[in-house]
Amino acid sequence: MKTKVWSVDKNVDNLQSYPQITESAGLLKADQVVAFPTETVYGLGANAKSDEAVKKVFEAKGRPSDNPLIVHIASEGQLEDIVEDIPEQARRLMAEFWPGPLTLILRRKPGKLSNFVTAGLDTVAVRMPDHQVALGIIRASDLPIAAPSANTSGKPSPTSAKHVEDDLLGRIAGIVDGGTTGVGVESTVLDCTVEVPIILRPGGVTLEQLKAVIGAVQQDVALKNQDTAPKAPGMKYTHYAPKAPLYLVKGQPAFLQRLVDEKRRDGLKVGIITALEHEAEYIADYVVVPGSLAQLHTVAAGLYDALRQFDELDVDIIFSESFPESGIGAAVMNRLEKAAGHQIIDEKHV
Ligand code: TXA
Ligand code: MG
């Protein structure tokens, strides 16, 4: 399949009438799949009402069919069409954080969406992205758009059109290149079908921000306990992993450097993921810096590009520093733990 690639300036409002947007929306209306940027990561969009379109998303990504997709909308009207019983708390969160990186799990209205979107569940994940290109495409198509991250299943999510091309060129109808995404990690997934909402996946909107609006918020215990099945089906799969084994290190830079030295003495090529503030403390074959501790959101923004870089480098093993788990750091650490397959080396326990 030939993949058409369009470029568009993400800073322009009311993009609906631009040819890049009308053409890509036209493909979505014709049940083709098209990748486009959102404020978090690139999404792989399809008409959420069409079985045929949604099946193409699962095929292109190699995604297990039991892992439901997020439906992206651009208006409240589109929301009311597909869900019922919107709890008061969910309404307050929408008023505060939409458009933005917060996905709400709500009860779905029967018969409105392809069953493949929801993997047979009676709930649906919905969000309104805060990105002019995404909103323009949804408006121009006049459809709810099902969109998982636009990566091959298991790989880090794409934060640039190049990442999407690396994974999906030739497998999808189109890619809308709107530059690099802003947040860098995916949306927070919050189950609003229970009395005290539960974070199923930490992301762009933080626990602290949610609590400030609705008070009590729980976190899925499976996020910290690997013996429990996660409530978001997608969270049980290996994800974000670079090709070389990755170890997450808790401890001081000197401890991490000793681990590196040991492996290099064995003849291995070693990579490090570190914060800007510690960059000068390390000697390794490759030192990759996603961002700075003083501005943790920069680490989130650069994390997936850092992980993907190692696949292009000649590296046998990767050690990553740990980051503070407050604010957006919770999402960063969740992704690093998954990328490491939960292989954690703690200075206190060696
Ligand atoms: O930022 C994002 O959320 C990006 C952009 C493209 O919007 N999308 C994204 O989609 O990350 P995806 O498919 O990679 O992740 C969706 C997550 C999965 O873990 C999935 O299992 C969960 O949301 N999910 C979807 N529907 C659900 C439902 N009804 N109940 C529980 N979890 C659900
Ligand atoms: Mg994903």
Side-chain angles (χ1 to χ4, degrees), residues 125-207:
V126 193
R127 86 177 190 98
M128 190 184 291
D130 186 14
H131 196 290
Q132 290 308 321
V133 176
L135 291 170
I137 290 173
I138 300 166
R139 287 184 192 125
S141 70
D142 199 23
L143 289 167
I145 299 295
S149 48
N151 51 284
T152 304
S153 238
K155 294 238 293 182
S157 298
T159 53
S160 70
K162 181 191 175 287
H163 295 162
V164 181
E165 287 178 21
D166 289 346
D167 282 15
L168 298 174
L169 203 68
R171 300 178 62 83
I172 59 177
I175 300 172
V176 183
D177 181 350
T180 51
T181 59
V183 179
V185 291
E186 301 87 339
S187 62
T188 302
V189 177
L190 186 72
D191 184 354
C192 292
T193 65
V194 284
E195 207 169 292
V196 179
I198 309 173
I199 295 178
L200 308 189
R201 177 180 74 179
V205 171
T206 65
L207 172 68

Side-chain angles (χ1 to χ4, degrees), residues 140-345:
S141 70
D142 199 23
L143 289 167
I145 299 295
S149 48
N151 51 284
T152 304
S153 238
K155 294 238 293 182
S157 298
T159 53
S160 70
K162 181 191 175 287
H163 295 162
V164 181
E165 287 178 21
D166 289 346
D167 282 15
L168 298 174
L169 203 68
R171 300 178 62 83
I172 59 177
I175 300 172
V176 183
D177 181 350
T180 51
T181 59
V183 179
V185 291
E186 301 87 339
S187 62
T188 302
V189 177
L190 186 72
D191 184 354
C192 292
T193 65
V194 284
E195 207 169 292
V196 179
I198 309 173
I199 295 178
L200 308 189
R201 177 180 74 179
V205 171
T206 65
L207 172 68
E208 296 86 338
Q209 287 177 300
L210 294 172
K211 282 186 169 167
V213 176
I214 56 167
V217 176
Q218 312 180 63
Q219 302 194 68
D220 187 355
V221 290
L223 291 173
K224 286 286 163 204
N225 177 354
Q226 284 176 73
D227 301 330
T228 314
K231 295 189 199 309
M235 295 295 281
K236 69 175 178 282
Y237 293 106
T238 316
H239 211 329
Y240 314 110
K243 286 178 197 143
L246 170 72
Y247 291 86
L248 184 56
V249 181
K250 301 197 170 171
Q252 295 301 311
F255 172 68
L256 196 154
Q257 183 64 53
R258 283 204 299 279
L259 298 172
V260 171
D261 293 344
E262 227 170 77
K263 294 296 174 191
R264 292 182 90 205
R265 272 199 300 274
D266 292 343
L268 298 185
K269 290 257 192 316
V270 184
I272 296 180
I273 298 176
T274 176
L276 192 62
E277 287 84 347
H278 297 159
E279 185 182 8
E281 301 194 32
Y282 294 114
I283 298 166
D285 297 283
Y286 304 100
V287 180
V288 174
V289 180
S292 123
L293 286 171
Q295 289 181 300
L296 221 40
H297 67 92
T298 60
V299 176
L303 183 66
Y304 293 151
D305 187 65
L307 290 170
R308 278 177 178 262
Q309 274 182 46
F310 285 113
D311 285 351
E312 285 168 21
L313 299 171
D314 170 27
V315 64
D316 301 306
I317 185 167
I318 307 160
F319 293 103
S320 174
E321 280 191 348
S322 297
F323 294 87
E325 294 208 35
S326 56
I328 194 77
V332 168
M333 285 299 283
N334 169 264
R335 305 311 189 266
L336 277 172
E337 280 164 16
K338 296 193 77 161
H342 300 277
Q343 303 180 102
I344 296 169
I345 306 175

